[in-house]
Structure formats: C-alpha cells, structure tokens
Amino acid sequence: RDAGKSVARLLVNSTVGVGGLFNVAPKDLADADRDFDQTLASWGIPPGIYLMLPLGGPSSVRDAIASFGESFLDPVNYIRGEDADAIIAGAHGVKTVNDFSFRIEEVDSLMKSTVDPYAAVKAYYEERLPNDAVDRTR
C-alpha cells in the first residue's frame, strides 16, 4: 500500500508539480517514512547492542547494517562525471545536516538536563524506534 502511495505521489508531483518542483500531492498520499531497519525489524531480526557511532550518532547493530545496505540504493552514489565527487559530498552533507537539524534542539535540552547524557541519548533513541524494533529485555 505504501509503495502504491509513493508511486502515485511521484506521478502527481512530477506532472502537476512541474517536474517535482512543487509538492502538490494530496495529504492522503503522504510520504511514508520507512527505512531498511524497520523492514529487518518486521522480519524478526533483533536490533543487537546499542552503539554510539562516531559521526553516525546513536544506532544499533541492525540499524548500522541497514544504513550500509541503504547506501547501495541511494542514486547519488552512482553519479559519474568530472564533478561527481563534489556533487556526492554536497548531497551527503545536505542530508546529514537535514537529519541532524530536526533533533538538535530536543537532544541539546535533554543533554543539559540530565546527569548521565549517554543513558539519556540511548533512551531517547530507543523511545523513537518502532515498537517492534527494540529488544527491551536488555
């Protein structure tokens, strides 16, 4: 169902939205926020241990593996040409800043108001995972 909505959203925005420049798709075709980590969780693969990756932030073993797998599906990684390295670095930089900026204020206030920042960030990370994505027995 989500795949059908995504295709319909692409068709509407690329035709009526002037080649995708404008987001004119109706609200019922909302973008599904899914990733490969959630797919692995739905297949019953446990998250593994909690990791704090140096540049990647909080993660789990399953999430780290899923991110590696998703990198092969990112079309930016397949850009070729004279300026390919600059374009790829720029696209990844924008994505990183965009992902980080949505959480910075919330995490910053959390870090300032806690005695144990590591445990607080771990709890924050696990709290935002889908219900079936966290093994709470540890």
Side-chain angles (χ1 to χ4, degrees):
R1 185 173 55 206
D2 286 342
K5 285 183 178 182
S6 293
V7 169
R9 180 181 183 79
L10 172 73
L11 292 173
V12 168
N13 284 337
S14 59
T15 55
V16 181
V18 190
L21 291 175
F22 303 101
N23 183 7
V24 295
K27 297 283 187 217
D28 61 331
L29 293 179
D31 192 21
D33 187 21
R34 304 278 190 265
D35 62 9
F36 192 49
D37 182 39
Q38 291 173 330
T39 302
L40 294 175
S42 71
W43 292 346
I45 297 173
I49 62 171
Y50 172 78
L51 303 170
M52 180 59 85
L53 301 175
L55 299 179
S59 185
S60 67
V61 173
R62 182 185 62 213
D63 185 37
I65 291 169
S67 295
F68 177 74
E70 286 175 353
S71 69
F72 292 104
L73 299 174
D74 189 351
V76 171
N77 293 329
Y78 296 100
I79 295 174
R80 300 290 181 249
E82 188 175 311
D83 297 327
D85 291 339
I87 293 169
I88 291 170
H92 287 299
V94 167
K95 181 184 182 313
T96 301
V97 168
N98 190 37
D99 291 346
F100 183 72
S101 66
F102 284 117
R103 290 171 264 168
I104 188 66
E105 288 181 15
E106 196 172 337
V107 172
D108 190 43
S109 65
L110 175 71
M111 298 284 280
K112 289 178 182 175
S113 67
T114 185
V115 176
D116 186 356
Y118 177 83
V121 170
K122 179 180 178 183
Y124 175 84
Y125 170 76
E126 289 181 343
E127 187 177 289
R128 274 139 188 82
L129 290 176
N131 291 336
D132 60 344
V134 178
D135 179 9
R136 300 205 184 270
T137 60
R138 276 184 264 120

